[in-house]
Amino acid sequence: MTGTSVDSSGEGKRPAGPARQRHLSDFTALTRQVQEAGYMRRNYGYYWAKLIGVTLMGLVLALAFILLGDTWWQMVTAVVLALLMTQIAFLGHDAAHRQIFVSPKWNEWVSLIVVNLFAGMGLGWWNAKHSKHHAAPNKIGTDPDIAPGVLAFTPEAAEARTNRVTRWLATKQGYFFFPLLLLEGVNLHVQGIKRVLGKGRIKRRWVELSFIAVRLVSYVVLVFLVLSPGKGAAFIGVQLAVFGLYMGISFAPNHIGMPIAPREAGIDFLRRQVLMSRNITGGRWVDTFMGGLNFQVEHHLFPSMSRPNLRKVAPLVRQHCDQLGVKYTETAFGQSLRDVTAYINRVGRGGVDTWACPLASTHRV
């Protein structure tokens, strides 16, 4: 790369001199347009309707569960509960990003109630992981979402597998991805509990622990008071499996299959967020289904922007990127899932270039 220098923070190389100033002004100009258009204003009516709506739906569903009684038809209730829990998680995501209220405390407490008490997950774990992801999406060694694990999301992770069996499994990992998402619901709960019980510093630890305990204990007790042991276990299993799958297919298309930046790369904010993100096309039903995550480019550029404004600001962002020659990626939901599968398989076979075009060509100055 030419025209780069070491950033004083030690993060890596960034465009130097006039190039860096030009890149900074690119985002400054976009921010000015967004603020002048009023897209950073909060949408209180929208969010109050959502918060009250999911609370009432939860109460109605609990009543329906009790009245329906000990029957296998409760598996349908489990699916509906999983869908509701995912929508609740989306609201927790918005509150954690301070999209709902101007007041940081209001956002914090709503996120605690929604994530910990309503969904039974850990806010502290989610915030720590998600903040690192937003700071450097798809950057090796920085973004925890592409860290080595059960699946290899980077060539580096795939090459590190020396065992013959795990190496072979990596070549087929795209086919395991969606079945593994059925376990993601369990993983999200376990990781949150591990974090809140761990020794690391966590804000409002006892609030989180109390909310999670109340949610999980009351949930399990209610299930087994109404259902027989076999049906109760099946109910919880179905609910967690559908929840994990729904969460996974909502978050996976956002970045998987987009360019991966090496550890030493330094990219200006606008290009870092746009080039590594993928939008999902579709109408407002897609906005609801994906909790606004379908506008991933806009969300990464303006994390505190209220969800309803993401659709409004998208044409402005797309036009700005076109003028700069920065690739703005958007695709249909079904195609995005096919792209995710193909990419994960390709990584496992060793067929991915980390510093892939258009990232390399766009970054050169």
Side-chain angles (χ1 to χ4, degrees):
M1 296 293 163
T2 58
T4 56
S5 65
V6 178
D7 179 62
S8 60
S9 66
E11 181 185 347
K13 297 181 178 180
R14 294 178 179 272
R20 181 175 184 179
Q21 293 302 317
R22 186 177 72 246
H23 285 175
L24 287 173
S25 66
D26 289 341
F27 183 63
T28 301
L30 176 61
T31 301
R32 187 181 304 113
Q33 294 179 62
V34 169
Q35 290 176 336
E36 289 174 354
Y39 293 140
M40 295 307 296
R41 285 197 291 265
R42 299 300 191 271
N43 287 265
Y44 291 116
Y46 172 87
Y47 278 114
W48 275 118
K50 284 278 187 182
L51 290 167
I52 294 171
V54 296
T55 303
L56 292 176
M57 287 176 66
L59 294 173
V60 169
L61 192 60
L63 179 61
F65 175 77
I66 294 170
L67 294 176
L68 192 56
D70 189 20
T71 169
W72 284 107
W73 284 106
Q74 292 282 21
M75 298 308 110
V76 177
T77 312
V79 172
V80 176
L81 178 59
L83 301 180
L84 179 61
M85 285 298 105
T86 307
Q87 289 295 320
I88 287 172
F90 291 153
L91 279 174
H93 169 267
D94 290 3
H97 275 295
R98 301 184 177 181
Q99 295 177 14
I100 300 180
F101 302 103
V102 172
S103 167
K105 278 195 173 182
W106 274 74
N107 282 304
E108 181 185 4
W109 277 100
V110 166
S111 58
L112 283 165
I113 292 169
V114 170
V115 176
N116 296 117
L117 187 59
F118 286 7
M121 299 191 299
L123 179 65
W125 169 76
W126 173 266
N127 275 343
K129 181 175 181 290
H130 202 58
S131 296
K132 290 178 181 178
H133 160 72
H134 265 266
N138 278 19
K139 184 172 182 179
I140 294 174
T142 305
D143 184 357
D145 286 357
I146 60 170
V150 177
L151 299 175
F153 291 106
T154 66
E156 173 179 276
E159 291 167 4
R161 301 189 177 195
T162 55
N163 181 282
R164 183 176 298 179
V165 175
T166 57
R167 188 71 191 88
W168 179 84
L169 288 173
T171 65
K172 310 294 182 184
Q173 64 178 357
Y175 304 115
F176 306 142
F177 179 67
F178 294 104
L180 283 172
L181 289 180
L182 297 172
L183 301 174
E184 183 61 15
V186 176
N187 179 58
L188 290 171
H189 286 81
V190 169
Q191 294 300 327
I193 293 171
K194 283 175 61 178
R195 168 83 180 189
V196 80
L197 291 177
K199 295 181 180 179
R201 184 179 178 278
I202 182 169
K203 190 177 181 182
R204 303 194 191 280
R205 181 188 303 273
W206 289 105
V207 173
E208 284 209 51
L209 189 58
S210 300
F211 281 178
I212 292 173
V214 168
R215 162 62 169 79
L216 295 182
V217 171
S218 61
Y219 172 62
V220 172
V221 168
L222 179 61
V223 167
F224 285 103
L225 278 177
V226 174
L227 301 179
S228 63
K231 293 188 185 76
F235 181 93
I236 294 174
V238 169
Q239 187 263 309
L240 288 173
V242 176
F243 173 67
L245 180 64
Y246 188 2
M247 287 284 282
I249 63 175
S250 299
F251 281 88
N254 301 342
H255 303 283
I256 298 177
M258 300 306 291
I260 299 290
R263 297 172 186 272
E264 69 277 5
I267 313 167
D268 68 283
F269 180 79
L270 185 143
R271 288 162 180 80
R272 179 196 314 160
Q273 305 300 341
V274 174
L275 292 171
M276 276 63 165
S277 303
R278 177 196 288 114
N279 277 10
I280 305 301
T281 59
R284 294 190 181 276
W285 74 270
V286 179
D287 299 0
T288 300
F289 178 77
M290 297 190 69
L293 298 174
N294 47 314
F295 290 105
Q296 193 66 197
V297 171
E298 289 72 23
H299 171 58
H300 264 255
L301 287 172
F302 305 101
S304 62
M305 180 179 288
S306 292
R307 192 193 306 179
N309 291 344
L310 296 173
R311 175 173 286 275
K312 298 175 184 177
V313 80
L316 192 155
V317 173
R318 188 185 305 111
Q319 180 183 35
H320 189 74
C321 290
D322 288 344
Q323 291 172 349
L324 295 175
V326 176
K327 187 176 181 181
Y328 180 99
T329 302
E330 52 185 345
T331 187
F333 180 69
Q335 183 58 50
S336 73
L337 296 182
R338 288 190 287 272
D339 291 345
V340 166
T341 303
Y343 171 81
I344 295 174
N345 269 338
R346 196 161 69 249
V347 169
R349 293 194 296 266
V352 172
D353 175 16
T354 299
W355 194 245
C357 290
L359 184 57
S361 59
T362 305
H363 181 64
R364 289 193 177 97
V365 292

